[in-house]
Amino acid sequence: MIPWYLLKFYAQRHSKFTASCIVLLIINLLFYNLFHIFLILWVFIIGVIFAYSLLSTTSVLPNLLPIYSKKSKHKNLGDDELTLMKTVCTVCGLRRCPRHRPELNILAFQPWTNLDIHKSVDDALHEFFNIVLKEFVYTWYRELSEDEEFVDELRTNFRFLASVMFRRMKKLDVPELVTKRLLRASVQHIDLCVQAYKEADYKGDIQQIVLDFMGSNVHCAMWSRKAELEYLRRLVESLFPYILRPQALNSSACFTEADDYDMDNFVPVLKSTCALVRELLAGAVLLPTLDAIANPDLINNLLLVFFDKTPPPQATEPPSPMVPFLGQFSQARARNQSCLRLELKDVINPECPEILYPFMQFLKSEAAVNVLQFCLACSDFNRRILNPDASQSEFSDLHSTVKDLYNVYCAPNALDRIKFDDDIIETLREVVEGPPDQVIKLRTSAPLFKAYEHAYNLLENNFLPMFHQSDDYYSMICGDRPNALLTKQMSRQTKKKDFTLAQFGNKLKDVFKSADERLSNNIEPALDGMSLNSVSQPSVCVEEELEDASLDCDHSMHDLSSWRVTIPRIGARPDPENPRKQYFVFIIDIRRLDVEEGEERKQQWTVARRYAEFYVLEQKLTEFHGELLECQLPAKKSFGTNKHDFTEGKKSDFENYLQKLLTKPHLRNSELLYQFLTSEHEFSTSFLPGIKLGKFVKTKLVKEKGQHLDEFLVTFATSTEASKPKSSKLSRRGSDTSLMSTSSDKLSGTHFDNNMNFGFQPPSSKRDLPHQVKDIDGAFDYLLFLLKNVFRAPEWFMGLMFSARILLKETVENYLDYHIEYKLSQVTQEHRLVGLVNLLKEILFFDDDPPRSDEDKRIRYASAYKELLDFLPDVLHTALGNSNTREGCELLLQIFQQPKLNKQLSYVLLDIVVQELFPELK
């Protein structure tokens, strides 16, 4: 039974309808003899009530055209190829293998496995990547070396990157991405532009009006062109764990600043291969591509292509054969001739146990020694079975050997099982279960040879590169690491040594002196060619002098455990580059407890240090003493560090950092910490060359204990080289004193200027933006929104469209998804993919056409406007009115004629696409 309060609620809500029903009831009672006539009206009213109870503004009918439905993509397929490649171990073939490394799966090392494309598309991609290497690598690398090994490494990384992107794009549901996310972001961008322009009463520059309206809500890449490039760099860096090989992620680090560290995990994030790939992708591919996409003239051209009714070109040639993805591109151009990088055939040679044994020890640590054992056993078996003089008894021995190989390495329950193809295992099983004379089949059949090739490739492609970067390989080539040796050499011993670091300092002790000092000391030119092992007796005398000099030093001055530091206040200093500005420093107060009043030595003093100097100290201490887990600074900020509030907020953190350093026993005699707390000069990476080399090497390595010297020795060797001649200076536009770098010149553009020209800081204006599109879902609803807000459709037409929404929403949206999927299948045809790759190549590298004139751009804009009007059906023109239709089309097209607004939208869409491709970043 229907509750009376519900009837009362709906009666009050629909008072006119209720009054009409009451009047009809009264008339029916007065003229009850005409009830059969009024029955028709009551049936109609009951139908209306029934329809109203079932349908609402959120109710829609299902798809009325089920034949036009897109094929659903299941994102969680369970046992699909990609999932298996992520979970199946490359070595043993087990899922979620507890024995080997989790990253030892096929996808981690060879994501191009079973990834085939048409040869013509592969050739187009091959040519595109070759041009990238030619334009951005070979132009400077040819001046350094003719060796192709470095470029081969880049080729492999490009193939790895493209394979990962290809696999992820294959899993992407493009229709859903376009209709659910990209279309929503585009309509929301249009709505913001319309709201801002409406607030300005449709007067003024729409681009500046919208940017001022958005304020601090703009994308961070829009702050400036340098901020845009930095954003792309950080975006590419965040993708490195997913798009680069493990060997590239573990390559040697190349640090330049203290903020090159990830402070959370304290791992280097800027590495040699990563840095180059980052610059190529961010500066050479993504930045010019986004610039081209945001160009209004290109958008008008794309609109003309979209409105063009010409059928797409048909394939004129038969499909080309399928080939491995970028297999030809990644082939090595030169063999590695380095004596330090051994080939696998030399490593597993049983006649060289001094090389085989370290490799075997490494494989034991990786729980993969069974792969090496199988290779050696299989190689010996192949040698024996190919012997033409083998007797029947030897065939019996070979059969038992094959049986052992199968039971140990191929059987499903074998402890040392290796993942071979099913046909290999099946053929070996038939030989094992057959009579002994059946082993002769392995002479002519290929299963055992394929098994050997599989295990050999596993060692060569996966484990040998890891071995080259392991401590076992380092110890095999160089011996034990020199930590203990250096500590022993640094201890003061009276006995004579063959060679010490002090003698090395004697050899190069004047390299940092000026030219006049070197001439006055009359340094022998022959010293440059001396062997380090042939140091004469006078060098030992110099060593003793340096030791005596170090003994004469006042080591009590360096006993930092009795020092107490505080940071009581913040000081302001004028900026030398701009006297009108100022920066803030930390005033460090130092007090010594080991100095009594009345002594000549200072008991208390202050030192001023800037924000960045603390991170230089941390970087240098890490180089000499390793990671100090209990003494770490907060993550370094790249900008906004000159503000008073920021500096004041860091005062307590920096004070605690210095106080903890003074409590460390191995830092009580640290020369670095001593210089930081006493020197009045700026504490930067350039303070080292000011120290005389002989005393520098001896003192630094003794007092800093010399625990982690890799970075120091590289910097030290670099400092001994003569400085390269400086290039001629180029003046910046509007300035006579500054230099204009090539990157700055590339960043300047006629379309975008300097974006919003806010540097690395967001605009100060803040406001809550309207989110009218937030609760709207679906392409049909977006169409209704544009009709109402852009074309200003009349109310009767909007009411009709909302009624049609109930009937047609699901049908229209399903047909749109089907149409997008159909168009995508056409675009991804072989000949059209080749055309798209060549088009991208022409835009990025061979766009030598003269700049289009303003008149040409106006003609293209007028053509796009006319085609947009013709694209709308005549019924819509009649319903909206010619005036509203023209104004709406003009406003809609004008929004996409603003390059900076296009750039804002392009970065919003880029973020959405990246998050769809890499959901791990969410």
Side-chain angles (χ1 to χ4, degrees):
M1 186 174 181
I2 302 177
W4 284 105
Y5 71 90
L6 284 180
L7 294 177
K8 181 179 179 182
F9 171 76
Y10 284 107
Q12 293 176 350
R13 185 175 181 181
H14 305 282
S15 57
K16 295 181 180 180
F17 180 79
T18 304
S20 301
C21 291
I22 293 175
V23 170
L24 182 61
L25 179 62
I26 294 174
I27 295 175
N28 194 10
L29 292 175
L30 293 176
F31 303 96
Y32 63 89
N33 55 342
L34 301 176
F35 178 77
H36 59 283
I37 298 177
F38 291 106
L39 182 62
I40 300 175
L41 297 176
W42 284 113
V43 171
F44 174 75
I45 291 175
I46 293 173
V48 171
I49 296 174
F50 181 76
Y52 179 81
S53 62
L54 293 180
L55 301 177
S56 64
T57 56
T58 58
S59 301
V60 292
L61 292 180
N63 182 19
L64 302 178
L65 299 173
I67 60 174
Y68 294 111
S69 299
K70 71 181 183 70
K71 299 177 181 179
S72 60
K73 279 194 175 183
H74 302 283
K75 294 187 177 180
N76 299 319
L77 297 178
D79 288 336
D80 65 339
E81 178 192 11
L82 190 60
T83 305
L84 288 174
M85 293 179 69
K86 286 183 178 180
T87 56
V88 173
C89 179
T90 309
V91 181
C92 61
L94 298 178
R95 299 191 63 178
R96 310 294 180 187
C97 170
R99 177 178 181 180
H100 302 104
R101 286 190 184 184
E103 65 269 19
L104 285 180
N105 54 67
I106 301 175
L107 187 63
F109 287 90
Q110 297 177 0
W112 50 81
T113 304
N114 299 333
L115 196 63
D116 297 334
I117 60 173
H118 291 283
K119 187 177 185 303
S120 60
V121 182
D122 186 75
D123 292 340
L125 291 173
H126 181 190
E127 184 180 1
F128 176 81
F129 282 118
N130 273 337
I131 294 176
V132 172
L133 293 177
K134 178 181 177 181
E135 294 290 331
F136 301 103
V137 177
Y138 280 117
T139 52
W140 55 268
Y141 183 69
R142 285 302 187 198
E143 300 178 1
L144 302 178
S145 174
E146 294 292 335
D147 188 6
E148 290 285 339
E149 182 181 1
F150 172 72
V151 183
D152 290 341
E153 178 74 12
L154 286 179
R155 291 179 184 273
T156 306
N157 281 285
F158 279 162
R159 187 189 188 191
F160 192 99
L161 184 154
S163 301
V164 173
M165 295 296 296
F166 190 14
R167 287 193 177 277
R168 289 179 179 262
M169 290 171 63
K170 286 175 62 178
K171 293 190 64 179
L172 197 63
D173 191 345
V174 178
E176 182 179 355
L177 172 64
V178 173
T179 57
K180 298 294 184 182
R181 303 202 61 188
L182 298 183
L183 195 57
R184 174 194 290 272
S186 302
V187 174
Q188 187 169 6
H189 174 78
I190 295 173
D191 177 53
L192 289 176
C193 296
V194 172
Q195 294 293 332
Y197 205 39
K198 182 179 180 181
E199 188 177 284
D201 198 17
Y202 301 98
K203 297 178 181 178
D205 182 10
I206 183 174
Q207 178 170 264
Q208 193 60 41
I209 290 173
V210 174
L211 292 177
D212 294 339
F213 180 80
M214 298 178 68
S216 59
N217 295 287
V218 297
H219 197 281
C220 60
M222 289 298 298
W223 296 348
S224 66
R225 290 288 280 174
K226 290 186 177 180
E228 180 181 353
L229 180 58
E230 185 63 24
Y231 172 77
L232 291 176
R233 288 170 174 169
R234 299 299 176 91
L235 175 64
V236 173
E237 284 179 359
S238 65
L239 300 180
F240 278 164
Y242 315 107
I243 65 176
L244 287 185
R245 298 189 308 155
Q247 292 90 335
L249 293 175
N250 297 328
S251 60
S252 301
C254 300
F255 304 109
T256 56
E257 298 290 342
D259 59 351
D260 288 339
Y261 292 91
D262 180 0
M263 290 300 178
D264 297 332
N265 303 315
F266 204 79
V267 294
V269 298
L270 181 59
K271 302 181 179 180
S272 55
T273 304
C274 296
L276 183 57
V277 174
R278 182 197 68 176
E279 294 303 317
L280 287 176
L281 292 179
V285 178
L286 289 179
L287 185 62
T289 301
L290 290 169
D291 287 347
I293 291 175
N295 187 355
D297 193 52
L298 179 62
I299 293 179
N300 294 335
N301 192 25
L302 293 177
L303 288 175
L304 292 176
V305 173
F306 176 77
F307 295 137
D308 189 9
K309 298 180 177 59
T310 304
Q314 300 296 326
T316 59
E317 298 179 358
S320 58
M322 305 296 288
V323 296
F325 184 68
L326 290 179
Q328 182 183 0
F329 171 77
S330 63
Q331 288 181 357
R333 272 27 179 197
R335 298 290 296 175
N336 187 351
Q337 302 297 330
S338 175
C339 61
L340 296 180
R341 186 176 291 272
L342 301 175
E343 299 292 339
L344 182 62
K345 60 183 179 59
D346 300 323
V347 174
I348 63 175
N349 187 2
E351 298 180 358
C352 298
E354 66 276 6
I355 302 178
L356 178 61
Y357 179 74
F359 186 56
M360 186 179 297
Q361 296 301 316
F362 167 76
L363 291 178
K364 284 183 179 180
S365 63
E366 297 293 333
V369 72
N370 58 316
V371 183
L372 176 62
Q373 292 172 342
F374 175 80
C375 279
L376 297 176
C378 190
S379 178
D380 181 68
F381 175 84
N382 290 332
R383 180 182 54 81
R384 293 170 56 193
I385 197 173
L386 293 177
N387 183 13
D389 299 330
S391 60
Q392 189 66 29
S393 60
E394 290 178 340
F395 283 151
S396 300
D397 295 339
L398 291 173
H399 184 267
S400 61
T401 302
V402 171
K403 188 175 182 179
D404 293 339
L405 288 175
Y406 177 83
N407 293 331
V408 175
Y409 302 107
C410 302
N413 299 325
L415 295 178
D416 292 330
R417 181 177 181 269
I418 302 176
K419 181 182 179 298
F420 297 117
D421 293 338
D422 294 337
D423 57 340
I424 296 176
I425 297 177
E426 182 64 23
T427 305
L428 291 178
R429 186 181 64 80
E430 293 177 358
V431 173
V432 168
E433 294 178 353
D437 56 355
Q438 293 294 321
V439 75
I440 197 66
K441 292 182 178 180
L442 297 178
R443 272 187 177 180
T444 56
S445 59
L448 201 59
F449 296 100
K450 289 183 178 180
Y452 176 80
E453 183 180 5
H454 173 82
Y456 189 91
N457 291 335
L458 196 63
L459 292 175
E460 185 175 36
N461 298 328
N462 292 0
F463 292 103
L464 186 62
M466 297 166 58
F467 176 61
H468 285 153
Q469 299 177 3
S470 65
D471 288 339
D472 298 275
Y473 189 74
Y474 181 92
S475 301
M476 183 186 74
I477 298 297
C478 304
D480 295 333
R481 293 190 176 274
N483 291 348
L485 180 61
L486 284 176
T487 305
K488 184 177 181 180
Q489 287 182 342
M490 288 303 100
S491 62
R492 293 184 177 84
Q493 298 178 358
T494 57
K495 63 180 180 178
K496 181 179 177 180
K497 312 175 187 62
D498 293 335
F499 172 69
T500 63
L501 286 173
Q503 294 170 336
F504 180 61
N506 172 66
K507 176 189 173 187
L508 298 174
K509 65 180 180 179
D510 295 324
V511 78
F512 289 138
K513 291 185 179 182
S514 63
D516 295 335
E517 291 176 323
R518 290 197 297 269
L519 289 176
S520 62
N521 291 336
N522 192 19
I523 299 179
E524 292 292 334
L527 188 62
D528 294 335
M530 289 179 59
S531 172
L532 294 180
N533 295 324
S534 60
V535 182
S536 59
Q537 183 65 25
S539 298
V540 180
C541 299
V542 177
E543 175 194 357
E544 295 173 355
E545 290 179 4
L546 289 174
E547 292 182 356
D548 295 339
S550 61
L551 287 173
D552 293 338
C553 295
D554 187 3
H555 287 279
S556 62
M557 291 286 292
H558 296 68
D559 186 7
L560 305 181
S561 61
S562 61
W563 292 22
R564 299 295 180 266
V565 296
T566 56
I567 304 180
R569 65 185 188 278
I570 302 298
R573 298 290 188 272
D575 193 341
E577 298 181 359
N578 190 352
R580 296 183 180 180
K581 296 183 179 180
Q582 60 182 4
Y583 62 89
F584 296 92
V585 296
F586 299 90
I587 305 300
I588 306 174
D589 184 80
I590 301 100
R591 184 167 56 91
R592 295 185 56 179
L593 302 181
D594 58 340
V595 177
E596 299 178 357
E597 296 184 1
E599 294 188 15
E600 296 181 357
R601 293 178 295 178
K602 289 184 179 181
Q603 184 182 18
Q604 188 173 3
W605 65 92
T606 59
V607 175
R609 294 296 179 198
R610 300 186 66 171
Y611 174 80
E613 295 181 60
F614 282 86
Y615 291 92
V616 175
L617 173 65
E618 183 184 43
Q619 177 186 356
K620 291 302 176 183
L621 289 177
T622 303
E623 291 179 8
F624 284 102
H625 302 281
E627 183 179 357
L628 303 175
L629 295 178
E630 300 178 359
C631 305
Q632 291 187 8
L633 291 173
K636 184 183 178 182
K637 302 294 183 181
S638 301
F639 48 86
T641 59
N642 290 333
K643 297 181 179 180
H644 181 273
D645 296 339
F646 178 84
T647 309
E648 185 70 30
K650 297 296 182 181
K651 186 175 65 174
S652 59
D653 294 335
F654 287 3
E655 182 181 80
N656 294 333
Y657 175 71
L658 292 177
Q659 291 173 354
K660 289 181 180 179
L661 290 179
L662 294 178
T663 61
K664 297 296 180 182
H666 59 281
L667 295 180
R668 61 182 299 179
N669 300 120
S670 173
E671 185 72 15
L672 290 168
L673 190 55
Y674 174 79
Q675 293 288 341
F676 184 84
L677 296 176
T678 58
S679 175
E680 297 181 358
H681 301 287
E682 181 184 0
F683 192 85
S684 62
T685 54
S686 61
F687 82 101
L688 294 174
I691 306 174
K692 290 184 179 180
L693 184 61
K695 183 179 179 181
F696 164 73
V697 175
K698 186 68 177 179
T699 306
K700 292 297 177 184
L701 296 187
V702 171
K703 294 195 173 183
E704 302 304 333
K705 304 303 181 186
Q707 297 298 314
H708 298 266
L709 298 179
D710 292 341
E711 295 292 332
F712 163 73
L713 292 177
V714 172
T715 305
F716 173 69
T718 304
S719 66
T720 62
E721 299 177 357
S723 58
K724 297 182 179 179
K726 297 183 179 179
S727 59
S728 57
K729 294 184 178 181
L730 299 176
S731 59
R732 190 186 299 272
R733 296 182 181 91
S735 174
D736 297 331
T737 58
S738 301
L739 292 177
M740 182 177 65
S741 65
T742 306
S743 59
S744 299
D745 187 44
K746 289 182 178 179
L747 290 178
S748 62
T750 57
H751 296 295
F752 312 102
D753 296 327
N754 193 26
N755 290 348
M756 295 187 69
N757 198 24
F758 282 100
F760 285 93
Q761 297 181 358
S764 57
S765 58
K766 297 181 179 180
R767 63 183 303 171
D768 295 332
L769 298 179
H771 296 287
Q772 302 183 65
V773 191
K774 184 176 181 180
D775 299 329
I776 301 177
D777 185 28
F780 197 93
D781 293 345
Y782 299 143
L783 175 62
L784 298 180
F785 184 84
L786 293 178
L787 290 174
K788 179 181 179 181
N789 293 275
V790 178
F791 292 92
R792 292 180 290 183
E795 292 186 3
W796 68 268
F797 182 73
M798 292 304 301
L800 183 63
M801 291 298 295
F802 274 107
S803 300
R805 176 183 182 276
I806 300 176
L807 300 174
L808 303 176
K809 174 179 169 61
E810 288 295 325
T811 303
V812 170
E813 292 180 356
N814 276 273
Y815 178 77
L816 180 60
D817 290 344
Y818 167 81
H819 186 71
I820 292 175
E821 192 172 51
Y822 170 73
K823 288 295 183 182
L824 185 63
S825 64
Q826 284 191 325
V827 172
T828 54
Q829 291 177 359
E830 178 183 353
H831 65 286
R832 303 192 70 179
L833 282 177
V834 173
L836 290 176
V837 175
N838 292 333
L839 178 62
L840 179 62
K841 177 183 64 177
E842 293 290 337
I843 293 176
L844 294 181
F845 305 110
F846 300 104
D847 190 9
D848 297 331
D849 296 335
R852 290 175 54 82
S853 62
D854 294 338
E855 182 64 24
D856 295 335
K857 295 179 181 179
R858 282 193 293 269
I859 293 175
R860 179 173 286 181
Y861 169 76
S863 301
Y865 175 68
K866 180 179 180 303
E867 292 292 337
L868 179 59
L869 284 175
D870 296 340
F871 177 75
L872 301 179
D874 295 336
V875 177
L876 197 60
H877 282 269
T878 305
L880 297 178
N882 290 330
S883 176
N884 287 345
T885 304
R886 291 181 177 276
E887 291 178 1
C889 290
E890 184 176 1
L891 177 60
L892 194 63
L893 200 57
Q894 276 295 325
I895 291 175
F896 293 100
Q897 302 307 306
Q898 316 304 322
K900 295 182 182 180
L901 298 185
N902 295 341
K903 181 61 70 70
Q904 161 72 18
L905 177 60
S906 64
Y907 275 101
V908 173
L909 300 181
L910 175 65
D911 291 346
I912 294 175
V913 173
V914 169
Q915 289 183 4
E916 286 294 320
L917 288 174
F918 300 92
E920 302 90 344
L921 298 179
K922 295 181 181 180

